Amino acid sequence: MHRTAWEELPLATRRAVAARTGLVEGADTATEGIMSPLACTLRTPRGPVFVKGTHADAPTAWMYRAEAAVTENAVLAPALLWEVEAGGWLLYGYAFLHGPHPDLSPGSPDLPDLVDTLLGTSRIPWPAVVKKKPLLARWGDHVPSGRAEDLVGHTLAHTDMSALNMICTPAGLHLVDWALACPAPAWADTAFTVPRLIHAGHTADQAEAVARLVPAYAAASDRAVSTFARTLLAVWESRERISPMPHRNALTEAARAWADHRAVAA
């Protein structure tokens, strides 16, 4: 996807944003992430602002509106500052979070903050006003036959638990980019984190030991978690076949290690 630079936006769009932020002194286009046609950090007299958006008539414009509504309900998300629709663009401004991405490797000092964040994501109900497919429907035919009930849930789940979507701040570890959020079991974000921990160097057993520090995950049935692990592997294998990307193979192998571990443990 071509990422539009701030300077390439129509003048009407930039003026509408400046009316919210004050004079834009400069902009740095984001180098991470692939989904948003525009994603940048604006330098303004009031401090940096992260902006993302798309063409107002794009088929995906609804996703940005839904993400904004979700973000307002997700206590671990950056604050939504404003919405601008002008010059044919739909843009959202979010509070800029200062800090590095966490280290998810074994023994990392960031792991306790990660557990606190997962505890937080397990407690927020899905906002009924936001209409999105639940995780079960998103995964569709990849769910093993007769196991659909294992993935039913109504918690606000982020679902994209990459360390690149995590920011370590003085107030704790926060999550950015809620575009893929959906209703899911309370333990879903913790489960999504298990293969990320394996990818970062944990064994499957070590990763699950971290996950079990989150009460919602510890209370989930072994069958439900195993269904999740099997389905996630099937989903990631399918994505790798259809749209291979450099990072996907290692993540799929981590998901496979987890699914195999659970199969043996069962």
Side-chain angles (χ1 to χ4, degrees):
M1 175 185 292
H2 168 71
R3 181 155 280 171
T4 300
W6 167 256
E7 296 80 6
E8 297 173 330
L9 290 175
L11 181 59
T13 308
R14 288 180 281 137
R15 282 178 171 170
V17 170
R20 301 295 191 98
T21 65
L23 177 68
V24 175
E25 299 165 345
D28 301 308
T29 298
T31 58
E32 298 168 352
I34 60 173
M35 294 180 63
S36 296
L38 182 128
C40 63
T41 300
L42 302 183
R43 299 190 297 276
T44 81
R46 303 169 191 171
V49 178
F50 181 72
V51 180
K52 67 187 301 186
T54 189
H55 296 280
D57 60 356
T60 56
W62 70 271
M63 295 178 61
Y64 293 82
R65 294 187 174 95
E67 181 182 7
V70 165
T71 298
E72 290 188 293
N73 289 273
V75 295
L76 294 165
L80 174 66
L81 303 177
W82 44 259
E83 171 188 340
V84 161
E85 185 170 348
W89 281 80
L90 175 68
L91 302 181
Y92 289 91
Y94 293 93
F96 181 82
L97 297 182
H98 296 267
H101 301 304
D103 173 8
L104 301 186
S105 64
S108 167
D110 296 330
L111 293 180
D113 280 348
L114 172 66
V115 171
D116 286 345
T117 293
L118 295 173
L119 180 62
T121 64
S122 72
R123 292 175 168 173
I124 308 301
W126 181 260
V129 295
V130 183
K131 307 302 181 184
K132 289 191 74 175
K133 289 182 179 179
L135 182 65
L136 175 61
R138 178 186 293 179
W139 280 354
D141 293 340
H142 294 293
V143 179
S145 177
R147 307 292 284 265
E149 67 273 17
D150 294 340
L151 301 179
V152 173
H154 307 284
T155 297
L156 197 169
H158 183 283
T159 81
D160 189 7
M161 301 301 289
S162 165
L164 296 178
N165 288 331
M166 304 175 184
I167 306 292
C168 297
T169 78
L173 192 154
H174 286 64
L175 299 175
V176 299
D177 196 353
W178 290 76
L180 297 179
C182 71
W187 46 270
D189 275 342
T190 306
F192 273 113
T193 304
V194 170
R196 301 287 181 171
L197 292 169
I198 295 172
H199 180 253
H202 295 255
T203 66
D205 197 49
Q206 289 171 333
E208 288 212 327
V210 174
R212 284 193 294 272
L213 296 174
V214 180
Y217 185 92
S221 72
D222 284 340
R223 169 186 151 126
V225 176
S226 294
T227 298
F228 186 105
R230 288 173 56 190
T231 308
L232 181 64
L233 174 60
V235 170
W236 283 4
E237 285 178 330
S238 175
R239 289 178 183 170
E240 191 177 354
R241 287 192 303 269
I242 295 170
S243 180
M245 299 181 71
H247 69 284
R248 281 187 171 159
N249 181 261
L251 286 175
T252 302
E253 289 306 308
R256 181 172 292 108
W258 183 34
D260 290 347
H261 170 76
R262 294 206 62 85
V264 170

